[in-house]
């Protein structure tokens, strides 16, 4: 992952770089670094350290050197432990070339070994340092910077966004992009470069998205972009109006708990916004009374919705399969949504893990639709899967929470969720907004395909809002009990088993992931029917078993049997049950009782308590729930 921010212009760069780094913290928070060509000494001045927010704040107070060209880096460690030496920037032997890197240089070990043979001395154990030493040898062998860059790109494999600064050319940033994102902001006698334009969104809205497999020579008043063969590219400047909003915790202790509480509104905002999409595109063909009724307006205006999604109504009617591609929590949302598309819209649906997708056989089918699901819209695995599908000319839709993201730009159509910025690394409100978005879309498709009528469409939306309401009210009713009694007790266990069936099995996977992420407690999740096929050997009084119920009578009864299987082996059961499910409630040691909802929306209704429970466990164990160790909010490496 990692975040990069750089500046060249006629102003001092230091404060801008530190501010930008803080904005890019979501890309990694293992270490931070800064380098500029110092105005006084005309030499590189570099500071770097392990750690993030505190370090950047400390540096911005203590670092005194400044210059009109500089860059900074926030690291998510891939190669080399988290320490000061492995922090970026990295330098060549004579410290006249500085580089920052986002991505992974594949096969760097071989290049490093041959550079060492040539006499280069390495300080760090990163893949990135290779880029500094290699470039210095290529600069010596080539006549121009451009030809050295071209030679470099022929030697480096993998994914990289690199920025070089040369002490000998203190007017230039050399920006190279292969797969990892890079944007340039065009200012007045100044240029900004970053992994994400939010780093400089308060400075300019004139943006150049550096194309994949290209490099740019950036000076304060010019940007020249070339492909890796050295051909000059004509790249347009886009105007982007999104701004970086400083989001604060308000009165909450952490962003995670604030975001857990925001879910009801995030879902409602998202669905209400989706309902306006049709009319945003066109309301011309609607009569006045329809314009006043949002549901009728948009149901009848489905055509405009399909246009926004880059498909036709005919394609939706004749669709043979849907493929959902995602990673992590988004993959769990996709697995829940498989039930929506298959049960409501009657469309066979496959769900793929983005990181596995590219290595599986892919059958080109023009009656197939791909939905790429990603909160950030930047996840490298999902982006690469999207590129593969695009290359085969199949239809793609992106559903993300970040409308300016790479995945949105590259998909044929998109649905922008309105969950609002999610700062906590563990996804909460974006997960439930994804589930809600996909439920809404499945119903819209079902309507288009004649599977449901307008009344049923309206009921579906009402059900969604009821589930969102229950998410919040059940959280409120169980809050004290979890905080005072349950979290302190369960935080003492060092492993958990999570079980469920049907639509709540992927939800149980999400619960287990959330517990692992924020509390570092080991959790294993199984479809409850699999328990007897092996995992039951793990059941004992030291391993709480969390069971999420479902609202299908037949499946519920099977879950009750699973609860008894656990109890008879001295296991300890925590049940998430629905009102009236007395058999499960009685069998459990602890039960959360949730009002009944539309059975397909059980994951939304149960999310609030589940997330609050794991959040409180993290607090009990003194973990930092907003920034768990080893993680980053946006995973831009494969
Ligand atoms: C877990 C979490 C991750 C992300 C995953 C995909 O809380 O947030 O598992 O879901 O890295 O990220 P997006 O959705 O941005 O593609």
């Amino acid at each position: 992952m990692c975040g990069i921010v750089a500046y060249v212009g006629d102003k001092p760069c230091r404060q801008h770089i530190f501010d930008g780094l803080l904005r890019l913290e979501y890309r990694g928070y293992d270490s931070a670094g800064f380098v500029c060509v110092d105005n006084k000494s005309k030499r590189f001045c570099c500071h770097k350290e392990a750690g993030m927010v505190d370090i950047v704040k400390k540096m911005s107070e203590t670092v005194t050197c400044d210059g009109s060209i500089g860059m900074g880096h926030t690291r998510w460690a891939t190669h080399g432990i988290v320490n000061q030496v492995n922090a970026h920037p990295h330098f060549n032997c004579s410290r006249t070339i500085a580089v920052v890197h986002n991505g992974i240089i594949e096969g760097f070990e071989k290049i490093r070994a041959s550079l060492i043979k040539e006499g280069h001395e390495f300080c760090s154990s990163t893949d990135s340092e290779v880029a500094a030493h290699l470039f210095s040898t290529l600069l010596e062998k080539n006549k121009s910077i451009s030809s050295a860059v071209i030679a470099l790109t022929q030697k480096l494999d993998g994914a990289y966004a690199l920025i070089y600064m040369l002490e000998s050319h203190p007017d230039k940033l050399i920006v190279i992009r292969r797969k990892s994102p890079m944007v340039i902001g065009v200012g007045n006698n100044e240029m900004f470069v970053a992994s994400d334009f939010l780093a400089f969104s308060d400075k300019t809205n004139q943006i150049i998205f550096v194309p994949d497999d290209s490099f740019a020579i950036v000076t304060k008043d010019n940007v020249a972009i070339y492909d890796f063969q050295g051909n000059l590219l004509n790249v347009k400047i886009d105007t982007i109006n999104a701004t970086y909003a400083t989001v604060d915790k308000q009165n909450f202790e952490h962003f995670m708990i604030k975001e857990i509480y925001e879910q009801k509104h995030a879902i409602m905002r998202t669905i209400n916004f989706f309902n306006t999409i049709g009319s945003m595109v066109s309301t011309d063909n609607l009569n006045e009374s329809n314009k006043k009724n949002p549901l009728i307006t948009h149901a009848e205006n489905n055509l405009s919705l399909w246009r926004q999604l880059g498909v036709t109504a005919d394609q939706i009617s004749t669709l043979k399969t849907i493929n959902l591609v995602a990673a992590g929590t988004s993959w769990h949302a996709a697995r829940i949504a498989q039930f929506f598309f298959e049960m409501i819209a009657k469309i066979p649906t496959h769900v793929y893990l983005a990181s596995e997708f590219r290595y599986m056989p892919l059958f080109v089918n023009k009656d197939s639709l791909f939905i790429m699901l990603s909160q950030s819209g930047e996840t490298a695995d999902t982006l690469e899967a999207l590129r593969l599908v695009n290359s085969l000319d199949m239809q793609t839709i992106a559903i993300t929470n970040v409308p300016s993201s790479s995945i949105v730009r590259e998909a044929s159509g998109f649905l922008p969720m309105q969950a609002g910025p999610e700062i906590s690394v563990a996804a909460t409100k974006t997960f439930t907004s994804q589930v809600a978005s996909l439920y809404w879309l499945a119903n819209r498709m079902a309507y288009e395909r004649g599977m449901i009528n307008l009344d049923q469409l309206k009921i579906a939306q009402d059900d969604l809002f009821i589930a969102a309401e229950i998410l919040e009210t059940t959280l409120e009713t169980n809050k004290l009990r979890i905080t005072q009694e349950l979290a302190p007790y369960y935080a003492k266990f060092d492993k958990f088993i999570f079980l469920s069936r049907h639509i709540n099995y992927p939800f149980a996977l999400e619960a287990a992931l959330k517990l692992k992420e924020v509390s570092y407690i080991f959790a294993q999740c199984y479809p409850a029917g699999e328990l007897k096929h092996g995992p039951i050997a793990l059941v004992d009084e030291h391993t709480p078993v969390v069971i999420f119920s479902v609202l299908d009578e037949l499946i519920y009864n099977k879950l009750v049997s699973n609860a008894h299987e656990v109890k008879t082996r001295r296991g300890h059961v925590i049940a998430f049950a629905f009102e009236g499910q007395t058999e499960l409630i009685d069998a459990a040691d602890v039960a959360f009782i949730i009002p009944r909802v539309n059975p397909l929306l059980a994951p939304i209704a149960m999310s609030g308590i589940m997330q609050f429970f794991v959040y409180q466990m993290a607090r009990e164990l003194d973990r930092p729930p907003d920034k768990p160790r080893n993680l980053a909010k946006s995973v831009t490496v494969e």
Side-chain angles (χ1 to χ4, degrees), residues 326-331 373-379 382 407 422 424-428 430 434 510 513-514 517 631-635:
T329 289
S330 296
W331 181 72
L373 193 62
S374 170
Q375 174 279 129
S376 62
E378 296 294 346
T379 300
T382 314
I407 289 180
E422 188 176 68
S424 170
V425 164
T428 52
T430 55
Q434 284 173 333
E510 170 59 10
L513 173 68
K514 229 44 351 145
E517 275 183 298
L631 302 183
K633 186 72 186 158
S634 181
V635 187

Side-chain angles (χ1 to χ4, degrees), residues 183-195:
V183 280
I184 299 172
V186 180
N188 194 4
N189 263 333
E190 55 185 357
M191 299 286 176
F192 308 89
V193 189
S195 313

Side-chain angles (χ1 to χ4, degrees), residues 4-66:
I4 292 176
V5 53
Y7 175 91
V8 56
D10 52 12
K11 299 195 184 81
C13 68
R14 188 185 60 208
Q15 202 50 51
H16 165 67
I17 304 278
F18 287 133
D19 291 348
L21 282 181
L22 290 176
R23 290 174 175 210
L24 295 188
E25 194 206 358
Y26 74 90
R27 303 181 73 89
Y29 38 80
D30 290 337
S31 63
F34 163 77
V35 64
C36 69
V37 176
D38 182 37
N39 272 341
K40 291 188 196 123
S41 68
K42 308 293 178 211
R43 305 294 311 267
F44 280 148
C45 168
C46 171
H47 291 265
K48 55 185 196 176
E49 254 180 80
M52 186 54 205
V53 175
D54 293 346
I55 292 307
V56 173
K57 287 189 173 147
K58 193 180 102 197
M59 278 191 211
S60 68
E61 283 157 17
T62 53
V63 171
T64 52
C65 57
D66 209 344

